[in-house]
Amino acid sequence: MSRALTRILGLGLVIGAVKGALGLLGGSLSLMADGLLGLGEGGAALVALLHHGIGAARPDRDHPYGHQKLLALGALAGCVLPLFVGVEILQAALARWQGAGAAGLPVLRPGPAGWAVLALVLLAQLGLWRWSLRRAAQLASPVLQLRSRGLGLWSGASGLVLLGLVMAATRGWGRLDLLLALPVLLLLVLQCWRVIQQLLPELEDRIAIPPEAIHAAVLAVPGVLNAHDIGSRGVLGQLVFVDMHLVVDADDLPTAHRITELVEEHLEARFGPLRCNIHLEPREYASDRITFHGAHG
Ligand SMILES: [Zn+2]
Ligand SMILES: [Zn+2]
């Protein structure tokens, strides 16, 4: 699935960039908005990779806490930058509309080569969509299904934009280019809003697992007397960081250590990949404050 998402990310960015460049060269606002939608699709694929791409965010020497935030920031940029450009396009569309006057607007008339490139890009896009649909069915992956739906929407919008360009060129309707940019930009805003909502928990270090659930799982381990000041962050299913204070029924280090290992195994079996930092405390430090208060430093 990671490979499929990476391919969607790469091809989405390339197709989006080609469209954006063509739109910029030809002065077509709807084509530029269409290209932005591709960049946004890339951002959405990056988020999917962040949450489900196994192995994508593994830690290394320079990033001992993994690459999850890096991916989240990349996805945020992949979404927010197109939004900024989208606002620019909207302003340009308004200015052109007002400045059109009685003479109407100049119409984009790409030569045969231009039309061929536009058609080829749309074909590549449709191919990517079909391929993602097939992969989603093969892997029975709801994540890929969601992404292929996004690609389908984008292809539909692109088809509409191309149709609009043909109509504008044959009938001389210069304003069609401005009108078509609007629904595409609306689609972009919706897409970005969804991605940002998915990213916020990771970027703000929100809890990844409810402390009560961790508490219950930890107390089920034999030898554990008390757990408190429990915190967690990260992405569930990818890598979660858990820390807690623990009181165990042992007076020697080897036994106490064995219990902490059991706790870690138990949590990992229950919640998936995680890294657990356990602060061992003597019995009189036992506390009923499950969630983090920083009671004992
Ligand atoms: Zn150890
Ligand atoms: Zn404590």
Side-chain angles (χ1 to χ4, degrees):
M1 188 169 68
S2 298
R3 290 244 304 275
L5 285 172
T6 312
R7 184 184 283 201
I8 292 176
L9 168 66
L11 285 177
L13 290 184
V14 169
I15 294 174
V18 169
K19 286 189 177 204
L22 287 175
L24 211 57
L25 282 175
S28 161
L29 292 181
S30 61
L31 203 55
M32 277 159 69
D34 186 4
L36 284 183
L37 211 52
L39 297 189
E41 237 353 277
L46 202 55
V47 175
L49 212 54
L50 165 69
H51 287 269
H52 307 280
I54 310 302
R58 288 280 161 267
D60 58 28
R61 182 184 174 278
D62 293 329
H63 304 90
Y65 298 98
H67 299 81
Q68 291 166 342
K69 279 212 176 119
L70 200 66
L71 281 175
L73 277 176
L76 195 66
C79 250
V80 171
L81 288 183
L83 271 187
F84 275 121
V85 184
V87 171
E88 292 284 314
I89 290 182
L90 199 62
Q91 281 174 342
L94 281 176
R96 278 195 203 180
W97 189 277
Q98 282 165 350
L105 283 165
V107 171
L108 171 71
R109 286 205 171 79
W115 287 119
V117 171
L118 283 174
L120 270 180
V121 171
L122 184 62
L123 275 181
Q125 207 178 330
L126 286 171
L128 182 64
W129 175 42
R130 289 283 310 248
W131 175 82
S132 71
L133 271 178
R134 241 191 353 262
R135 287 301 285 165
Q138 274 170 6
L139 298 171
S141 150
V143 180
L144 271 184
Q145 263 159 23
L146 210 64
R147 284 316 358 117
S148 59
R149 201 156 68 208
L151 287 174
L153 268 178
W154 181 30
S155 302
S158 300
L160 210 65
V161 165
L162 190 57
L163 198 69
L165 287 178
V166 172
M167 299 272 281
T170 50
R171 313 253 166 125
W173 293 342
R175 286 177 200 254
L176 202 56
D177 183 47
L178 308 184
L179 281 178
L180 276 174
L182 296 181
V184 178
L185 287 177
L186 191 68
L187 215 56
L188 183 73
V189 170
L190 287 176
Q191 183 195 49
C192 288
W193 175 239
R194 245 176 270 137
V195 168
I196 288 169
Q197 269 183 323
Q198 282 180 301
L199 286 176
L200 279 182
E202 163 68 2
L203 286 173
E204 68 177 89
D205 278 346
R206 194 182 295 177
I207 55 164
I209 305 167
E212 295 79 13
I214 297 178
H215 184 255
V218 170
L219 282 191
V221 175
V224 171
L225 295 179
N226 176 270
H228 58 275
D229 274 9
I230 299 170
S232 71
R233 64 186 176 90
V235 180
L236 199 63
Q238 280 290 305
L239 186 59
V240 176
F241 299 93
V242 179
D243 43 80
M244 70 181 82
H245 294 189
L246 197 70
V247 180
V248 296
D249 188 15
D251 292 317
D252 60 308
L253 182 61
T255 315
H257 176 250
R258 204 155 46 241
I259 296 172
T260 65
E261 300 269 88
L262 274 176
V263 166
E264 287 174 13
E265 280 168 27
H266 201 71
L267 287 178
E268 190 132 22
R270 174 102 167 67
F271 300 109
L274 53 84
R275 206 187 300 164
C276 197
N277 209 344
I278 296 176
H279 181 71
L280 274 176
E281 289 179 336
R283 285 185 176 82
E284 58 269 29
Y285 276 63
S287 158
D288 53 7
R289 287 186 293 196
I290 293 177
T291 185
F292 190 78
H293 286 87
H296 309 128

